[in-house]
Amino acid sequence: YGAAVMLFKLAHEVDSRQVLLTTYARPDGGVVHPSAGLALRWAIAFFPGTMFLFLLLAVVALMLLAFTGYHLYLAATNQTTYESAKRAAMLADLVDDALDEEEERQRQQGTGQASGVRGWLAGVRHRRLATARVRRELEAAGGGRAALTRNAYDRGCVANLLDALCPERVHARAARARKDQ
């Protein structure tokens, strides 16, 4: 909310001082027509503290948005942070093993890898290709991506979110299951 308050304060100042309605003269005699860029430079020049607070609060808001999105994803897939990290680590280990095997084959064949930025870009490309290859191999082996991305308790996005937001549904379902036994 702080970022929105700072933005509205700056917009009010720009509007009350008619920054976007004024035509400005350049030192060489030319004319500068108002624009959003000009208003931004004006706000930075005359309200640096407010601009700093706006930028700081906008960064905090973006981080909170990412944090909230990640946890909504976890709730929608019915998994914990640990389970998510464990699956990512398992996939990374499989990809690392595939890359090690490829490097060993290259070493045996006598082919090397470029250095510098080209080498780094080639490494990124090899890692991406190795990740896709490992996922295809898992799917072909019958484990599929489900072996790394889904869990046994996943009941679908809506049901998972309802279970997370309304825990009494989980207790009622458990009571019905006990009663049926």
Side-chain angles (χ1 to χ4, degrees):
Y1 300 117
V5 169
M6 291 295 128
L7 184 64
F8 286 131
K9 180 186 181 322
L10 288 169
H12 172 71
E13 290 298 329
V14 167
D15 186 48
S16 68
R17 297 183 189 207
Q18 298 183 345
V19 173
L20 292 174
L21 299 176
T22 307
T23 303
Y24 301 93
R26 280 197 232 155
D28 64 359
V31 176
V32 176
H33 295 286
S35 66
L38 179 69
L40 179 64
R41 288 188 304 230
W42 180 86
I44 291 171
F46 288 100
F47 296 98
T50 304
M51 287 298 293
F52 173 75
L53 280 176
F54 168 71
L55 290 174
L56 178 70
L57 292 171
V59 168
V60 168
L62 288 174
M63 290 188 321
L64 283 174
L65 184 65
F67 184 75
T68 302
Y70 176 66
H71 282 83
L72 282 173
Y73 161 76
L74 289 176
T77 56
N78 201 11
Q79 60 181 331
T80 63
T81 307
Y82 176 73
E83 290 169 334
S84 175
K86 184 177 174 184
R87 286 185 180 91
M90 287 171 33
L91 179 61
D93 286 344
L94 291 171
V95 170
D96 287 341
D97 292 344
L99 286 173
D100 290 343
E101 290 171 7
E102 187 175 323
E103 283 179 20
E104 184 61 33
R105 266 187 267 121
Q106 285 180 351
R107 198 173 306 121
Q108 288 174 356
Q109 293 173 354
T111 58
Q113 189 176 3
S115 62
V117 174
R118 284 188 181 188
W120 179 78
L121 288 173
V124 169
R125 182 173 176 274
H126 286 302
R127 183 163 200 79
R128 193 181 74 233
L129 292 173
T131 303
R133 186 174 60 246
V134 165
R135 286 187 172 163
R136 278 193 309 272
E137 289 171 0
L138 284 172
E139 288 173 8
R145 288 183 73 173
L148 292 173
T149 58
R150 291 186 51 102
N151 68 30
Y153 303 105
D154 188 3
R155 297 179 344 107
C157 182
V158 174
N160 290 339
L161 285 173
L162 285 174
D163 287 348
L165 298 174
C166 306
E168 64 273 1
R169 286 175 37 108
V170 176
H171 298 302
R173 190 170 52 249
R176 279 194 308 272
R178 280 193 301 270
K179 187 174 127 184
D180 291 344
Q181 292 177 353

